[in-house]
């Protein structure tokens, strides 16, 4: 749609910007705590709040502290919390069996949150990298990341998460065919209301660096993830992936990273109209939080501006480490 407008001075677009009241009236997109999914890092222990050096302000939390975080999120109006486990290196193996252990860290945290704050939607991560001795999201055979055997393992992992009470399952692995396999397994096992938020268009990005520190996967990773995550220059391929995942049974789709990929978000929303999310990833957080720490940018302002940009680009919601800080400001 092209707006029609008279020529100057009949049209003076600055009239619409002349006071805070008028600006508020014509603001096209707004941000609320209801737009956020808050990713949190879980570790073993009790009473542990362990700072992550490359993500100032973000901590690894033991299960009891994650429960406190979930309560805080709920009271701030944040609808969902997303769990990422920091797995003890001794539990990382080639067969990744810890991924579907009913009592692994992620499942223990899910049960504890659902016990204490059942109203909050718990999202969990499906991928083998936290449990894999070589840091990849799939099994490695002869130096190659194998697809179909990985999908079978992802199904076991997702079912253990659904059993623990996960509301939203987020496959972040980028294997082919996993959404269909997960949807079928969830239906067969009586989990027909468990949602799938597919990391459908996930790019092979250097912006994931601080996350890999946070979950302890940096040291482990051999090589890169380019045979399964996308080439940053591609956009048509992102649309094919999103269409495929929606057809296989994804309820919601995600673009990741966020800020450098807002064109993909807009295109996806326009093309499919499905619930569309973006992940403002660890490196994006680190840039903003790090520059703010040094006094180079106004931290609060760049946080809210960056999050508003996702809404403007068509996103229904945002996974962001800023969720509690932004919500506190938005709630006044
Ligand atoms: C891996 C996974 C990654 C992130 C979420 N799940 C990293 C990767 O693909 O290597 C990144 C999140 C972030 O950077 O904040 N399954």
């Amino acid at each position: 749609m092209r707006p029609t407008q008279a020529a100057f001075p009949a049209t003076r677009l600055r009239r619409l910007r002349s006071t805070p009241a008028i600006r508020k009236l014509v603001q096209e997109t707004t941000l609320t705590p209801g737009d956020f999914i808050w990713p949190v890092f879980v570790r073993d222990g009790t009473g542990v709040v362990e700072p992550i050096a490359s993500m100032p302000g973000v901590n690894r939390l033991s299960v009891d502290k994650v429960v406190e975080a979930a309560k805080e999120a709920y009271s701030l109006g944040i609808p969902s919390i997303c769990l990422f486990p920091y797995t003890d290196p001794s539990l990382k193996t080639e067969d990744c069996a810890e991924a579907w252990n009913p009592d692994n860290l992620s499942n223990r945290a899910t049960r504890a949150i659902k016990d204490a704050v059942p109203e909050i939607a718990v999202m969990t991560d499906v991928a083998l990298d936290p449990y894999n001795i070589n840091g990849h999201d799939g099994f490695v055979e002869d130096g190659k990341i194998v697809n179909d055997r990985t999908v079978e393992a992802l199904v076991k992992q997702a079912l253990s998460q659904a059993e623990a009470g996960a509301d939203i399952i987020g496959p972040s692995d980028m294997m082919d065919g996993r959404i269909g396999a997960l949807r079928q397994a969830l239906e067969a096992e009586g989990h027909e209301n468990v949602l799938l938020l597919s990391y459908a268009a996930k790019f092979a990005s250097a912006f994931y660096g601080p996350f890999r520190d946070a979950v302890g996967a940096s040291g482990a990773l051999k090589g890169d993830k380019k045979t399964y995550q996308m080439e940053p220059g591609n956009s048509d391929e992102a649309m094919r992936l999103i269409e495929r995942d929606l057809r296989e049974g994804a309820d919601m789709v995600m673009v990741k990273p966020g800020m450098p990929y807002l064109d993909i978000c807009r295109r996806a929303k326009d093309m499919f109209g499905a619930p569309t999310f973006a992940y403002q990833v660890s490196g994006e957080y680190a840039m903003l939080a790090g520059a703010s720490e040094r006094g180079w940018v106004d931290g609060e302002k760049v946080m809210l501006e960056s999050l508003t940009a996702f809404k403007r680009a068509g996103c229904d919601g945002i996974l962001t480490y800023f969720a509690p800080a932004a919500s506190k400001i938005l709630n006044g």
Side-chain angles (χ1 to χ4, degrees):
M1 183 203 58
R2 183 173 291 270
T4 52
Q5 54 201 26
F8 178 85
T11 297
R12 285 183 185 269
L13 288 166
R14 285 188 58 196
R15 274 184 219 121
L16 290 166
R17 290 178 236 138
S18 55
T19 68
I22 301 299
R23 288 198 294 274
K24 190 163 227 135
L25 208 54
V26 298
Q27 183 168 337
E28 296 172 37
T29 34
T30 52
L31 193 63
T32 79
D35 296 321
F36 301 142
I37 297 177
W38 181 18
V40 294
F41 298 106
V42 195
R43 56 151 298 150
D44 243 328
T46 324
V48 183
V49 177
E50 179 182 47
I52 297 158
S54 50
M55 299 180 74
V58 176
N59 303 298
R60 297 185 193 101
L61 305 172
S62 52
V63 171
D64 55 319
K65 292 289 175 186
V66 168
V67 170
E68 281 176 26
K71 286 182 184 156
E72 186 196 2
Y74 181 64
S75 71
L76 287 168
I78 299 168
S80 181
I81 192 164
C82 177
L83 307 176
F84 290 103
Y86 170 85
T87 308
D88 189 296
S90 70
L91 295 171
K92 295 186 190 212
T93 57
E94 213 158 309
D95 69 1
C96 305
E98 183 65 8
W100 50 92
N101 175 358
D103 289 316
N104 70 20
L105 199 48
S106 170
N107 291 334
R108 290 204 309 274
T110 300
R111 277 195 295 270
I113 295 171
K114 293 313 288 188
D115 246 16
V117 212
E119 299 89 349
I120 202 158
V122 173
M123 174 168 167
T124 51
D125 185 60
V126 165
L128 300 181
D129 55 316
Y131 311 101
N132 202 340
I133 199 150
N134 51 53
H136 278 290
D137 293 29
F139 290 125
V140 182
E141 287 174 17
D142 301 326
K144 292 212 159 63
I145 290 83
V146 294
N147 195 87
D148 300 8
R149 184 160 84 85
T150 297
V151 171
E152 288 170 27
L154 299 174
V155 166
K156 288 196 270 182
Q157 180 181 22
L159 286 176
S160 87
Q161 294 172 351
E163 292 298 334
D167 302 283
I168 304 172
I169 286 179
S172 68
D173 54 282
M174 288 292 281
M175 296 299 121
D176 283 324
R178 90 274 206 222
I179 297 297
L182 292 172
R183 176 52 72 212
Q184 202 181 355
L186 289 168
E187 286 287 329
E189 299 299 321
H191 300 296
E192 63 275 3
N193 285 326
V194 170
L195 294 145
L196 289 175
L197 169 43
S198 175
Y199 289 61
K202 178 171 176 179
F203 292 84
S205 172
F207 286 99
Y208 306 149
F211 173 96
R212 291 180 190 162
D213 296 341
V215 297
S218 323
L221 185 62
K222 293 196 181 66
D224 58 44
K225 299 193 175 186
K226 289 183 182 172
T227 68
Y228 45 109
Q229 299 181 349
M230 283 178 64
E231 155 61 43
N234 290 0
S235 175
D236 289 341
E237 186 189 5
M239 297 308 108
R240 298 180 72 198
L241 285 161
I242 290 168
E243 180 177 31
R244 191 249 343 241
D245 284 3
L246 287 169
R247 278 187 203 281
E248 287 187 18
D251 302 284
M252 307 179 268
V253 291
M254 193 200 296
V255 174
K256 178 185 177 188
M259 294 184 318
Y261 296 89
L262 292 180
D263 59 316
I264 309 288
C265 299
R266 168 51 66 196
R267 225 184 141 190
K269 188 64 184 177
D270 287 349
M271 199 172 282
F272 304 109
T276 303
F277 290 77
Y279 198 144
Q280 185 180 46
V281 300
S282 56
E284 301 176 65
Y285 175 89
M287 289 193 301
L288 300 180
S292 157
E293 238 185 10
R294 285 164 180 72
W296 293 345
V297 294
D298 180 323
E300 285 191 2
K301 289 194 174 128
V302 295
M303 167 175 78
L304 294 177
E305 184 180 330
S306 67
L307 293 169
T308 302
F310 288 104
K311 296 292 297 294
R312 193 197 58 235
C315 293
D316 297 281
I318 308 126
L319 285 93
T320 176
Y321 302 98
F322 287 122
S327 298
K328 280 176 202 153
I329 296 170
L330 294 169
N331 289 335

